[in-house]
Amino acid sequence: MTMKNNALSFKVGEKVVYPSHGVGEITAIEEQEVAGFKLELFVITFDKDRLTIRIPLAKAKSSGLRKLSEPAIVQQALEILSTKAKAKKGMWNRRATEFQERIGTGQLTAIAEVLRDLNRGSEQQEASYSEQQLFEGTLDFMIREISAASQVTPTEARKIIEQHLAKAPHLNKASAQTEGSDDEAAA
């Protein structure tokens, strides 16, 4: 069964991306009665989280539900990982909010930008707990989508991502410390 809504078409068995949960699979399209109204719903299962959600077909596009990224978008996201991270300016809580907003778009290229900007290379353990959690969550989201879109195992997807992250030029410790003191002075 295939459903078309606002130029989007999804079918049972198809892998999709839902911004707040990542990659899932449409397991059914069902009809339910809610408050006297009949609603058609996508039933999406996220195996990793053991989660099932239902999204009304009419709200699919506005909820951010989308198909897996095309190969060109996957390549563009991987190339973003190899570029220089944006300078860390401002308070962590403001940056974290901005990162969460970009992740919330569910767009692979935006997620790649966040991952690139959070990447500290071999010094990842020096990041704060919340920064590490955000990095790991973003990495996991990207691994799952690249794995599904490129039809490779999650382990292979992780290796591809890590190879691209390793190519990125990193700030050296001296300039990072200087920036850190500028942040404190600005705060």
Side-chain angles (χ1 to χ4, degrees):
M1 179 179 207
T2 301
M3 287 289 169
K4 291 186 184 224
N5 184 41
N6 296 337
L8 294 178
S9 65
F10 299 99
K11 59 184 181 255
V12 174
E14 184 175 12
K15 299 264 188 203
V16 293
V17 176
Y18 187 64
S20 54
H21 298 293
V23 177
E25 182 177 338
I26 296 177
T27 54
I29 298 173
E30 62 186 28
E31 193 173 285
Q32 285 185 356
E33 190 170 322
V34 178
F37 294 99
K38 289 188 187 252
L39 288 175
E40 287 184 295
L41 306 164
F42 287 117
V43 179
I44 304 170
T45 303
F46 300 89
D47 289 335
K48 184 178 187 295
D49 301 327
R50 292 188 213 137
L51 173 72
T52 299
I53 64 171
R54 288 168 173 73
I55 301 174
L57 269 57
K59 300 278 186 190
K61 186 174 184 178
S62 65
S63 73
L65 185 68
R66 66 172 175 82
K67 293 180 174 286
L68 291 173
S69 295
E70 296 290 324
I73 298 296
V74 170
Q75 191 56 43
Q76 183 182 1
L78 290 171
E79 288 170 7
I80 288 169
L81 296 177
S82 301
T83 62
K84 185 175 182 178
K86 289 185 180 175
K88 296 171 173 65
K89 293 184 180 175
M91 302 285 289
W92 164 246
N93 60 349
R94 288 190 204 130
R95 289 196 331 261
T97 300
E98 179 191 328
F99 290 150
Q100 290 289 5
E101 288 171 359
R102 291 193 328 208
I103 292 166
T105 68
Q107 298 304 311
L108 190 59
T109 52
I111 289 160
E113 290 170 356
V114 171
L115 192 61
R116 172 202 64 200
D117 292 348
L118 287 169
N119 181 35
R120 291 182 177 222
S122 61
E123 299 165 7
Q124 197 66 40
Q125 284 71 31
E126 293 179 20
S128 69
Y129 178 76
S130 61
E131 193 173 348
Q132 286 177 9
Q133 292 298 106
L134 191 55
F135 177 84
E136 289 299 323
T138 306
L139 177 61
D140 183 61
F141 189 114
M142 195 159 180
I143 287 170
R144 287 197 265 167
E145 182 160 5
I146 289 179
S147 172
S150 302
Q151 298 179 339
V152 297
T153 67
T155 303
E156 291 170 317
R158 180 183 202 105
K159 190 179 292 185
I160 292 166
I161 291 167
E162 287 173 347
Q163 287 170 348
H164 280 83
L165 284 172
K167 293 178 191 174
H170 292 287
L171 297 170
N172 63 32
K173 278 193 164 190
S175 67
Q177 288 172 345
T178 303
E179 285 184 21
S181 57
D182 288 347
D183 288 349
E184 291 165 13

